[in-house]
Amino acid sequence: MLVPSLNFSYKYLDVCNSGMVWDSTPNGKQYLRWTKQGELTDTTGNCDRSSIFAALPNKNISIQEGTENPVCSTCHLLEACRFRAGAGFRHRFLRREALKCDGIRAHPDNFDWSNSGIFCNQAGQYSQLMRSLRY
């Protein structure tokens, strides 16, 4: 079976961020990546609280994606973020729109794949992700 390119036919599931950098692969395809120390962002962020989300794993605190998590639920922009895009908020809106699509592209850690099929590009980088498939 031939699988279409994930870059072409699947909707990108945005991660919560305060801005990212455009980079390109050796064959010239553009992609977004996290900034390295000292780099300036090329894009505007989609969440004013993204630094909190980024700091929590370093403190061994796990936060589930969803509006019930304490970071989102205490944000004064929560309702705006759910239904529209603006300066410093739009992560929830972009996520909801992407999840309406038949196919999405996302990092394995950014989505609950338990009820979904998954194709993995660069599978060697994610070898710790071993899950059974139900038929």
Side-chain angles (χ1 to χ4, degrees), residues 70-124:
V71 179
C72 287
S73 66
T74 59
C75 181
H76 69 287
L77 295 171
L78 175 61
E79 291 306 312
C81 191
R82 282 179 169 169
F83 301 108
R84 62 183 190 271
F89 67 93
R90 68 179 167 277
H91 173 64
R92 309 263 14 121
F93 173 74
L94 295 173
R95 183 175 179 81
R96 190 184 77 212
E97 293 301 305
L99 291 174
K100 290 178 184 177
C101 298
D102 290 334
I104 58 173
R105 288 177 50 215
H107 187 280
D109 293 340
N110 293 341
F111 186 72
D112 175 13
W113 300 100
S114 59
N115 294 318
S116 305
I118 183 170
F119 297 98
C120 193
N121 187 11
Q122 301 171 341

Side-chain angles (χ1 to χ4, degrees), residues 7-57:
N7 291 334
F8 177 71
S9 59
Y10 287 72
K11 176 77 174 162
Y12 177 69
L13 184 64
D14 271 343
V15 295
C16 183
N17 70 78
S18 57
M20 299 185 91
V21 174
W22 282 106
D23 208 339
S24 56
T25 63
N27 64 357
K29 295 214 182 235
Q30 295 258 311
Y31 67 96
L32 284 171
R33 66 168 173 78
W34 296 105
T35 57
K36 296 175 184 170
Q37 190 169 3
E39 275 186 319
L40 297 175
T41 62
D42 294 330
T43 65
T44 58
N46 61 18
C47 176
D48 280 346
R49 291 186 161 198
S50 63
S51 61
I52 298 170
F53 282 105
L56 292 174

